[in-house]
Amino acid sequence: MSAELQQLYQQIILEHAKKRNGSPLADPPQGDKSGESHMLNPTCGDEITLRAAVHDDGAGITLSAISWDGQGCSISMASASVLSDLVQGMDREELLKVVDTFRELMRSRGSIEADEEILGDAAALSGVSRYPARVKCAMLAWVALEEALLAAN
Amino acid sequence: MSVVSTPATLKHAAGMIDDAEARRIRNDFPILNQQVNGSPLVYLDSGATSQNPLCVLEAEQEFYEQRNAAVHRGAHMLAVSATDAFENARETVAGFINAGMDEVVWTSNATEAINLVAYAFSNASAGRGGDAASRFVLGPGDELVVTEMEHHANLIPWQELAFRTGATLRYIPVDDAGALRLDEAEQIIGPRTKVVAFTHASNVLGTINPVGTLVRLAREAGAAVVLDACQSVPHMAVDVKALDVDFAAFSGHKMLGPTGIGVLYGKAELLNAMPPFLTGGSMITTVTMEKADYLPSPQRFEAGTQRISQAVALAAAVDYLRETGMDRIHAWEAELGQRLVAGLEAIDGVRVLGPAAGAERIGLAAFDVDGVHAHDVGQFLDDKGIAVRVGHHCAQPLHRRLGLVATTRASTYLYNTTDDVDAFLDAVAGVRPFFGAN
Ligand SMILES: Cc1ncc(COP(=O)(O)O)c(C=O)c1O
């Protein structure tokens, strides 16, 4: 087995793919605005429905809840799981920053080191960037989150 | 003409294909002689696209080096030479399926060939083609019949045709083993049926459909038969006259030829009564500012500058297949197909789609691995240099019917060996342990 494949399917990724933190879909907290996004990867049938709720306390907006339903490969499912763990409670700026950081990592073709400080368990998905065909799988939940946030506002 | 290398098979074309012969054949395919991720390439994705033997690559190069010109136009020597090569290629392909020269229409691929037929019906329904085309006119109350196992290429053109004309699309279901429900077919195909379109061999299940039975039902109903021959013509001897289908479609790239060329076979009488699909140069007799008259088939359907080098290369591919022998190829792939299925069935947590081991199938097998998504299976195999297809294989309704979203498919061709199949089976056995799906 190649080092690249080991790197792609790290134990932590396979565990997240099974645990699926943030799944299934849950009702948003009372009083918070929420938005939903349905994303499909038509080449392989990966599918996710993601719901994001935002809380506005007057001073700023934070992500109060994230949940999802989906089916797909281990990369797409693990990615949704690590995303759910990571972004819960973040304010808008932090959120945009992690999504951008993750996207940049995925597009890097293996040329940049993942910043674990910012990305948490999502850093373990860095191996995906060497497999351009799988980047879409890893991005699915993240793009869904962006869309769900737009829908919530 | 320059020298084109003699295929290895020419020198050995006797008896059954065995591993030794498959290895000799493999040597004719430059691309197969490479390492992927540190292992020798095991190419098991010929159902999606096949590879080209050197003689096909050389035929295309020879055309560009010595004959390239627009065909059916111009009086110069190269134009004559190119036209000869182009029409000789048609003759070769026509002979291969036992069709007439005027019954082989070049298209970009099978998908375009099927669309050509669907749009002929559509255009006739819009009033084009006059009385001659009246048998292609569709409207509310008419029915188009497909099957539940169709590739999207033989489904969506008919869906769209139904939307445009008001006709109804119906389908013959498959049973749990992936066979067509012929009892249902007898109920579904009737006086309202105008088209029966189905695949000869399934690109997912590997089943070979009973063409004779379906043609009989269609004939009794007075319906036209459209055969998707994408997975049959490359792999077995197909005689369109013996099958008595009205139309058949297949793609060059699945039969050792280049991409960009496909074939529509149609009975001459039907083709000549059909309004054209694509229109423009090279397909007309007289043109005024108001209207045009059209050439007979095949030029009638070949608007614009054609895929000349691709046709020439496809003919070289057909020669290669013929010299190797379609019956020998079919027998060898049937053996590989059985080895695939028997091996897969023996692996814990693997479910093979379609007929069980021992039952007839072409040389491919699609399967589900319990607890592991097909995309991950494909990635794991690729790491060992094994190329397979993952996803729905352009057959979403069939996957839905079988309760699946995506599967993995291994598909063989004449250049595969039992070693290829065994390397694949060995790798598949490692999938569930690797992903912790036990
Ligand atoms: C059964 C079947 N029909 C149609 C097609 C479409 O062929 P193409 O994409 O070359 O038009 C394919 C190939 O994918 C096929 O396997």
Side-chain angles (χ1 to χ4, degrees), chain B residues 114 146 150-158 197-199 226-228:
Chain B
I114 295 166
V146 296
E150 294 313 308
H151 186 285
H152 297 163
N154 198 30
L155 170 61
I156 303 172
W158 306 115
F198 61 95
T199 194
V226 181
L227 188 72
D228 177 348

Side-chain angles (χ1 to χ4, degrees), chain B residues 48-368:
Chain B
T49 202
S50 63
Q51 301 299 351
N52 308 120
L54 189 59
C55 59
V56 167
L57 303 173
E58 287 174 341
E60 186 152 13
Q61 182 165 2
E62 190 268 349
F63 176 81
Y64 277 119
E65 285 181 353
Q66 314 215 13
R67 295 171 166 238
N68 185 40
V71 296
H72 296 303
R73 311 170 183 178
H76 54 80
M77 187 281 284
L78 285 182
V80 172
S81 177
T83 304
D84 278 351
F86 186 62
E87 292 304 328
N88 287 343
R90 196 190 308 274
E91 193 171 6
T92 299
V93 172
F96 187 57
I97 57 169
N98 192 26
M101 277 280 276
D102 53 349
E103 296 181 316
V104 166
V105 176
W106 301 122
T107 63
S108 302
N109 47 37
T111 302
E112 188 187 301
I114 295 166
N115 273 280
L116 189 162
V117 179
Y119 272 95
F121 275 92
S122 191
N123 293 339
S125 306
R128 301 297 302 142
D131 286 348
S134 61
R135 69 183 114 175
F136 303 107
V137 173
L138 297 174
D142 292 329
E143 293 178 353
L144 311 171
V145 174
V146 296
T147 83
E148 204 174 11
M149 68 166 78
E150 294 313 308
H151 186 285
H152 297 163
N154 198 30
L155 170 61
I156 303 172
W158 306 115
Q159 291 178 344
E160 286 293 327
L161 178 62
F163 285 126
R164 288 195 300 273
T165 59
T168 303
L169 184 72
R170 302 188 66 187
Y171 67 87
I172 303 165
V174 300
D175 65 21
D176 292 338
L180 287 180
R181 292 279 307 273
L182 293 175
D183 53 331
E184 297 260 2
E186 286 188 26
Q187 304 303 314
I188 291 164
I189 300 171
R192 292 164 178 269
T193 311
K194 291 294 185 296
V195 175
V196 180
F198 61 95
T199 194
H200 194 177
S202 166
N203 66 316
V204 177
L205 303 163
T207 36
I208 301 172
N209 283 321
V211 179
T213 306
L214 292 167
V215 168
R216 179 179 56 75
L217 292 173
R219 291 283 166 259
E220 284 164 14
V225 176
V226 181
L227 188 72
D228 177 348
C230 276
Q231 298 295 345
S232 57
V233 165
H235 302 284
M236 62 184 82
V238 171
D239 177 331
V240 290
K241 290 283 144 67
L243 292 176
D244 190 32
V245 295
D246 296 306
F247 301 96
F250 51 97
S251 282
H253 68 96
K254 292 184 196 284
M255 50 192 289
L256 312 186
T259 53
I261 187 147
V263 172
L264 173 69
Y265 158 78
K267 287 184 175 161
E269 176 228 350
L270 294 174
L271 289 175
N272 284 322
M274 275 160 52
F277 167 40
L278 300 175
T279 56
S282 299
M283 45 83 71
I284 48 80
T285 52
T286 315
V287 180
T288 66
M289 282 314 292
E290 288 73 38
K291 63 185 265 300
D293 292 324
Y294 304 122
L295 284 164
S297 171
Q299 273 74 38
R300 185 187 199 78
F301 302 102
E302 294 177 358
T305 303
Q306 288 299 298
R307 317 127 178 106
I308 313 164
S309 66
Q310 291 95 324
V312 169
L314 175 56
V318 165
D319 285 338
Y320 186 96
L321 289 170
R322 262 200 146 148
E323 282 153 7
T324 309
M326 291 312 293
D327 290 335
R328 299 171 76 227
I329 292 170
H330 182 42
W332 177 238
E333 290 174 31
E335 191 176 326
L336 295 177
Q338 289 303 329
R339 196 178 183 95
L340 273 175
V341 175
L344 285 168
E345 281 178 354
I347 300 170
D348 230 23
V350 170
R351 165 187 167 200
V352 180
L353 277 57
E360 181 184 51
R361 70 157 59 224
I362 57 173
L364 63 81
F367 58 99
D368 177 53

Side-chain angles (χ1 to χ4, degrees), chain A residues 1-2 9 42 74 131 134, chain B residues 373 376 379 383 392 434-436:
Chain A
M1 187 154 325
S2 70
Y9 291 117
S74 59
Y131 295 92
R134 305 304 296 276
Chain B
H373 191 276
D376 295 319
Q379 195 79 66
D383 195 59
H392 48 60
F434 177 78
F435 287 99

Side-chain angles (χ1 to χ4, degrees), chain A residues 1-2 5-6 8-9 14 18 42-46 71-75 131 134 137, chain B residues 37 371 373 375-377 379-380 382-384 390-392 396 405-406 434-437:
Chain A
M1 187 154 325
S2 70
L5 196 76
Q6 298 280 17
L8 178 66
Y9 291 117
L14 297 181
K18 290 208 178 81
T43 52
C44 56
D46 286 354
Q71 56 172 3
C73 66
S74 59
I75 300 299
Y131 295 92
R134 305 304 296 276
C137 312
Chain B
N37 295 325
H373 191 276
H375 222 159
D376 295 319
V377 177
Q379 195 79 66
F380 181 82
D382 177 62
D383 195 59
K384 298 177 184 299
V390 301
H392 48 60
Q396 280 187 20
V405 174
F434 177 78
F435 287 99

Side-chain angles (χ1 to χ4, degrees), chain A residues 60-141:
Chain A
I61 291 174
T62 53
L63 183 77
S64 54
I66 175 172
S67 64
W68 57 279
D69 265 340
Q71 56 172 3
C73 66
S74 59
I75 300 299
S76 64
M77 296 298 99
S79 188
S81 177
V82 296
L83 173 71
S84 301
D85 287 354
L86 182 65
V87 295
Q88 184 80 38
M90 279 188 178
D91 66 30
R92 182 199 289 274
E93 253 159 47
E94 283 176 296
L95 235 161
L96 294 180
K97 185 172 164 204
V98 292
V99 174
D100 280 348
T101 307
F102 186 72
R103 180 176 281 122
E104 201 190 334
L105 176 67
M106 286 299 104
R107 289 179 176 168
S108 72
R109 298 231 168 190
S111 68
I112 57 179
E113 283 278 330
D115 187 338
E116 239 175 285
E117 293 266 303
I118 300 175
L119 291 175
D121 281 359
L125 283 162
S126 64
V128 176
S129 69
R130 291 182 188 276
Y131 295 92
R134 305 304 296 276
V135 170
K136 256 195 191 157
C137 312
M139 286 305 302
L140 198 66

